[in-house]
Amino acid sequence: MPEDKPLVGEYMVRNVQTVDPNMTVKQAIDQITRSEFHGFPVAENGYLLGFVTAKELLRFIDQPNAKIRNVMKKGTFCAIPSMTISDATRILFRYGLRNLPVIDEDRKLIGIISNLDIVRSQIEKSRPNKVMTVKSFLERQNGIKLKVVNKDIEVDRIIPTQKEVYMDELVGRQYELKRGMIEPLIVVERRNGYIVVDGHHRILAAKKMGMKTYKAIVLVPNDYDTKLGLEKTAERWGLRSLDDVNIIEGTKHPFMEVTTMLLPSEETDALTKKLIDRDVH
């Protein structure tokens, strides 16, 4: 499989919440209201029958005791694990969908791919270009050669090069990790650990969640004795481990400052609290 063609099976969520066709309209509405989703696949004995959304249920708000089986549209758009992400994206975009159920060869429901999963795949796809840019820069700046290796590295061997991170962004990254968005770090291997080039919020979120290892794109130098500029910066700031990084509370990360500039402050505080509560529970 070419690296530039990720498949639905690699990014779909396998633990799918469904609606039983024998549920009433009221029961389905209650389930959607309690969830984070706008709709659910309808499945019976594991087989996909259709998809019901909040908008469709509103049409039957005056029939709260009607069975979903009798009011739902029969059938739905769907995908298979071997479909490419690009093809799934076309279906979602073309028909204005947020989710696409994934079925196996027996038409049994095995997963779901959403707009969020598509975004995740595109972020991960952009990684290689960023890595090569960083690699070229470090090679030129330090007069060394770097080899690229993908592996899991120990969180307690990571050496930061950033003095501060923002709590609001840290909470957001924790939520992303819980949802499966494991965006790799970019680090440089040293004798005493791994220097972070990109990913401080990510790795501190992982540490806060108790993760012992984390996926990383490791740049391995041909010369371990040449001290890197990043390394000198970390030493000057007294950064030896992730415990030395200061977490800023009460001030927004610049990214979140822009994102929430049209929202009242109490609403942004509530959003952060909501993410914290999701992380705790």
Side-chain angles (χ1 to χ4, degrees):
M1 182 194 73
E3 287 188 359
D4 61 345
K5 290 191 176 181
L7 304 180
V8 165
E10 299 171 42
Y11 287 94
M12 69 182 187
V13 174
R14 296 180 182 275
N15 184 21
V16 187
Q17 294 185 42
T18 63
V19 165
D20 187 283
N22 294 314
M23 290 174 67
T24 65
V25 168
K26 183 180 184 309
Q27 288 172 324
I29 289 174
D30 289 344
Q31 182 169 324
I32 288 177
T33 302
R34 291 193 305 268
S35 77
E36 303 170 23
F37 308 107
H38 84 293
F40 293 104
V42 181
E44 187 172 36
N45 299 321
Y47 291 96
L48 179 65
L49 303 181
F51 196 99
V52 64
T53 67
K55 183 178 179 180
E56 289 166 343
L57 289 172
L58 281 174
R59 296 193 180 101
F60 302 98
I61 194 73
D62 58 345
Q63 302 177 46
N65 297 318
K67 294 289 179 68
I68 294 298
R69 185 190 302 279
N70 298 325
V71 300
M72 63 175 275
K73 291 180 180 176
K74 302 297 188 293
T76 184
F77 293 103
C78 60
I80 57 174
S82 58
M83 179 184 285
T84 64
I85 287 290
S86 60
D87 284 344
T89 302
R90 287 189 179 94
I91 298 301
L92 288 165
F93 180 77
R94 192 174 296 165
Y95 300 105
L97 306 174
R98 297 186 188 181
N99 302 280
L100 201 56
V102 184
I103 59 172
D104 63 14
E105 60 273 12
D106 297 320
R107 300 192 177 186
K108 281 199 168 185
L109 180 66
I110 57 171
I112 194 163
I113 189 90
S114 71
N115 290 335
L116 291 174
D117 301 315
I118 301 297
V119 170
R120 179 163 61 97
S121 74
Q122 293 307 303
I123 289 174
E124 292 181 4
K125 185 178 177 181
S126 69
R127 273 288 99 182
N129 291 335
K130 186 170 188 177
V131 170
M132 297 315 293
T133 300
V134 168
K135 176 178 179 291
S136 297
F137 173 77
L138 291 176
E139 287 178 336
R140 288 196 310 272
Q141 187 185 52
N142 299 284
I144 57 175
K145 291 295 180 183
L146 295 162
K147 181 174 67 174
V148 179
V149 177
N150 292 276
K151 65 177 181 178
D152 291 346
I153 61 175
E154 301 94 334
V155 171
D156 62 7
R157 296 197 68 220
I158 290 173
I159 303 165
T161 56
Q162 186 171 310
K163 290 189 290 186
E164 300 171 331
V165 297
Y166 292 82
M167 176 58 82
D168 59 352
E169 180 63 7
L170 193 60
V171 170
R173 295 296 180 137
Q174 285 179 255
Y175 182 65
E176 289 174 4
L177 289 174
K178 288 190 71 176
R179 292 293 299 270
M181 188 171 167
I182 313 294
E183 188 182 354
L185 305 175
I186 301 177
V187 300
V188 181
E189 185 173 272
R190 308 308 288 158
R191 287 193 177 96
N192 62 331
Y194 301 92
I195 293 182
V196 179
V197 178
D198 180 72
H200 284 86
H201 282 93
R202 255 170 283 149
I203 192 57
L204 279 158
K207 176 179 171 63
K208 194 169 185 296
M209 291 170 65
M211 295 173 65
K212 301 301 182 186
T213 62
Y214 195 91
K215 292 185 181 298
I217 299 169
V218 183
L219 301 176
V220 183
N222 63 338
D223 176 10
Y224 284 87
D225 293 322
T226 298
K227 187 160 286 192
L228 308 181
L230 284 169
E231 206 167 3
K232 294 174 185 176
T233 298
E235 289 177 359
R236 187 168 68 251
W237 287 342
L239 301 174
R240 293 169 298 276
S241 75
L242 294 175
D243 291 329
D244 297 319
V245 179
N246 180 42
I247 299 175
I248 302 173
E249 299 189 47
T251 303
K252 293 180 184 176
H253 185 282
F255 162 71
M256 290 304 296
E257 185 74 48
V258 171
T259 304
T260 61
M261 62 183 173
L262 297 181
L263 294 176
S265 59
E266 60 270 18
E267 189 169 342
T268 59
D269 291 343
L271 288 171
T272 299
K273 183 179 183 304
K274 188 175 182 181
L275 290 180
I276 292 173
D277 289 343
R278 286 176 184 171
D279 179 55
V280 170
H281 302 298

